[in-house]
Amino acid sequence: LLATGLSYFGNVTALFELISHLRIHYLLAAVILLPFAIIHPSKIPLAMILLSAIVNSFEVIPWYIRPKQKKSEGRVFSVTTINVQFNNHNTGGIVDFILEKRSDIVLLQELNERWIKALSPLKKLYPYNFVKDPGNQFGIGIWSKYKMKNCAVAEIGDFDDPSIAADIEIKGKVIKVVAVHPVPPFDN
C-alpha cells in the first residue's frame, strides 16, 4: 500500500517515478495476500490489501481493455524505433529486421561510425535520411521512404546528446518527426 501511494509522487523524486511502473506487481501481491488477510483476526490488513487492490486495479485494468478501433481515414503509416546499442555487433540482424519490417519511417539511437556504415543497405528502401553523429556512441538518425525537409538538431532538455527533427510529407500531409535518446531517470 505504501509503494502504491508513493508511486503517485513521481514528480518528487525519480525513485517514486520508477516504482510507479510496478503496479501490476502490487496488484498481484494484493491478490495473493488477500486470502491471508481474510483469515487474519484483525481487519486492518484486509482493508489495506483491498484498498491496494482497488487502486492498482484502476491503473492496470485499462492496459488490457482495448477501445473500439475507429476506421482509419486514409493510409496509416508505420514507424520503427530501435536503440541499436552501440556495442552490439549484430548489425546484420538489425538491418535485416528493418528491411523485413519495411516501416515507412525508422528512428535509430546509439549510432556510432561502425553502425552508420553498416546501415548503408537501408538507402535503397529509405532514400531519405538524416543522421547526427557527435563522434561518440550517442549518434541518432531518421530514415524515411518519404521526402524529408527541415532536418535539424533539436535542442531538447539540458543534456549534450543530440536529438533530431524532420518534417516528412506523406500523402500531402506534413508530419513532424522527432528522434530522441533520453537519459536514464536518475537524480543528480
Side-chain angles (χ1 to χ4, degrees):
L1 184 60
L2 179 63
T4 296
L6 291 176
S7 68
Y8 284 99
F9 296 95
N11 58 339
V12 174
T13 178
L15 177 62
F16 294 167
E17 197 280 328
L18 285 173
I19 65 173
S20 72
H21 300 280
L22 302 173
R23 293 192 191 284
I24 194 163
H25 299 92
Y26 305 146
L27 177 59
L28 291 173
V31 169
I32 291 168
L33 293 173
L34 188 59
F36 299 105
I38 290 172
I39 63 172
H40 194 277
S42 171
K43 294 304 172 194
I44 293 174
L46 178 60
M48 291 173 55
I49 288 173
L50 282 174
L51 180 60
S52 177
I54 291 168
V55 169
N56 286 300
S57 291
F58 278 108
E59 296 288 342
V60 171
I61 290 173
W63 300 344
Y64 299 100
I65 298 174
R66 292 184 135 186
K68 277 193 168 182
Q69 296 287 330
K70 294 180 182 176
K71 292 251 181 182
S72 173
E73 293 181 19
R75 185 183 181 284
V76 176
F77 65 93
S78 60
V79 177
T80 295
T81 182
I82 302 172
N83 180 332
V84 299
Q85 299 184 338
F86 69 93
N87 57 356
N88 175 6
H89 292 279
N90 186 14
T91 56
I94 298 287
V95 169
D96 290 346
F97 174 82
I98 293 168
L99 292 174
E100 180 182 312
K101 191 83 172 155
R102 304 184 71 80
S103 297
D104 296 307
I105 300 168
V106 177
L107 311 172
L108 301 176
Q109 301 87 30
E110 288 197 19
L111 301 175
N112 56 23
E113 188 175 326
R114 178 178 51 81
W115 267 101
I116 293 168
K117 286 179 186 174
L119 295 167
S120 62
L122 299 181
K123 289 180 183 174
K124 189 177 241 182
L125 184 59
Y126 301 98
Y128 306 99
N129 65 70
F130 178 63
V131 177
K132 177 63 178 163
D133 179 14
N136 58 25
Q137 70 268 17
F138 292 108
I140 194 161
I142 302 173
W143 281 258
S144 173
K145 293 179 179 178
Y146 302 96
K147 188 173 183 177
M148 298 189 337
K149 300 184 289 190
N150 304 321
C151 300
V153 173
E155 298 295 330
I156 299 174
D158 55 357
F159 54 97
D160 296 329
D161 300 326
S163 297
I164 56 177
D167 294 331
I168 300 177
E169 186 175 336
I170 300 176
K171 300 261 182 176
K173 295 191 178 195
V174 176
I175 61 166
K176 172 73 78 180
V177 175
V178 181
V180 179
H181 183 270
V183 295
F186 296 110
D187 285 340
N188 291 335

